[in-house]
């Protein structure tokens, strides 16, 4: 995949032209960004993976209706955010639903992986708890602005709110997280 293939204008042109290879390229271009966003938004890696898959299923279904009014990345973020919200409502974020085990792993490797995950979880736990106190929209604004570094205008389009609302929600979310972490 060339850098040109991931350029927003090129992607928009291909989408409006009905390019059948576009979805595979969108996945290649945005998978990493989307999964990072979804891991924070959904609260669990398994949910994030499922939401990403659901978002691309929705993209397959709705791509023919894409009119090019917003960047494809924003459109994908909205689909992913919606998928995560539906999942959280339906599953109530139960981590036990996503326990994984790959066949053939040695017990010692699994134990080492669990230890590493526990260390990472211990480091991220305060931040995850701080993010969990935010409502869904505030968390999404914070993740898109600070995590994904999208401009306020794009966040507003993605979340279907005004730019002023993005700025207000961002300020409120940052303040709430800072207050929670300073306890």
């Amino acid at each position: 995949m060339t850098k040109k293939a991931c350029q927003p204008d090129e992607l928009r042109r291909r989408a409006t032209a009905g390019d059948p290879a576009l979805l595979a390229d969108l996945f290649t271009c945005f998978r990493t960004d989307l999964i990072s966003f979804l891991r924070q938004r959904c609260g669990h890696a398994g949910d994030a993976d499922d939401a990403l898959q659901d978002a691309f299923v929705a993209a397959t279904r709705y791509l023919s209706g894409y009119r090019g009014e917003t960047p494809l990345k924003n459109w994908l973020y909205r689909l992913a955010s919606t998928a995560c919200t539906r999942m959280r409502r339906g599953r109530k974020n139960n981590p036990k639903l996503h326990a994984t085990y790959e066949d053939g792993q040695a017990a010692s490797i699994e134990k080492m992986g669990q230890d590493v995950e526990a260390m990472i979880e211990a480091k991220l736990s305060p931040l995850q708890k701080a993010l969990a106190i935010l409502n869904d929209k505030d968390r999404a604004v914070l993740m898109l602005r600070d995590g994904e570094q999208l401009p306020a205008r794009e966040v507003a389009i993605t979340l279907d709110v005004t730019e002023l609302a993005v700025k207000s929600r961002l300020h409120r979310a940052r303040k709430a997280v800072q207050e929670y972490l300073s306890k």
Side-chain angles (χ1 to χ4, degrees):
M1 158 99 26
T2 65
K3 280 193 173 187
K4 182 181 178 191
C6 288
Q7 294 297 320
D9 292 337
E10 178 67 13
L11 291 171
R12 185 177 298 162
R13 182 196 64 73
R14 290 175 59 199
T16 56
D19 183 349
L22 179 64
L23 279 171
D25 290 345
L26 287 175
F27 187 79
T28 303
C29 292
F30 300 119
R31 180 194 179 282
T32 303
D33 292 341
L34 284 169
I35 200 70
S36 174
F37 166 68
L38 287 169
R39 284 193 174 138
Q40 291 302 318
R41 178 100 164 82
C42 297
H44 189 273
D47 285 341
D49 291 339
D50 291 347
L52 181 68
Q53 181 178 358
D54 290 350
F56 275 95
V57 167
T60 302
R61 186 177 310 132
Y62 300 120
L63 187 60
S64 63
Y66 177 77
R67 295 182 306 264
E69 295 169 353
T70 62
L72 277 165
K73 185 174 184 178
N74 292 17
W75 183 71
L76 287 170
Y77 271 99
R78 179 172 286 171
L79 292 174
S81 181
T82 301
C84 183
T85 299
R86 274 196 312 267
M87 187 168 302
R88 289 179 66 141
R89 285 180 186 151
R91 296 188 183 183
K92 301 298 183 199
N93 214 17
N94 183 352
K96 292 178 183 176
L97 292 175
H98 303 289
T100 60
Y101 180 79
E102 293 184 21
D103 294 332
Q105 278 187 319
S108 61
I109 293 174
E110 184 177 337
K111 173 71 173 129
M112 185 171 46
Q114 290 171 350
D115 291 346
V116 169
E117 285 183 25
M119 289 185 330
I120 292 170
E121 182 68 29
K123 292 284 187 188
L124 292 177
S125 182
L127 182 57
Q128 288 174 329
K129 288 177 182 174
L131 290 172
I133 66 169
L134 301 175
N135 67 46
D136 287 345
K137 282 265 189 182
D138 288 352
R139 185 179 320 105
V141 166
L142 183 66
M143 294 308 305
L144 290 171
R145 280 291 288 137
D146 291 351
E148 300 299 323
Q149 299 178 344
L150 290 179
R153 187 179 109 270
E154 288 186 28
V155 174
I157 292 168
T158 300
L159 298 177
D160 198 26
V161 297
T162 66
E163 230 177 299
L164 186 59
V166 167
K167 291 175 183 179
S168 175
R169 286 178 178 278
L170 181 62
H171 175 74
R172 184 173 48 238
R174 285 176 176 164
K175 186 175 179 181
V177 168
Q178 186 178 26
E179 287 175 1
Y180 183 89
L181 292 176
S182 65
K183 289 181 184 178

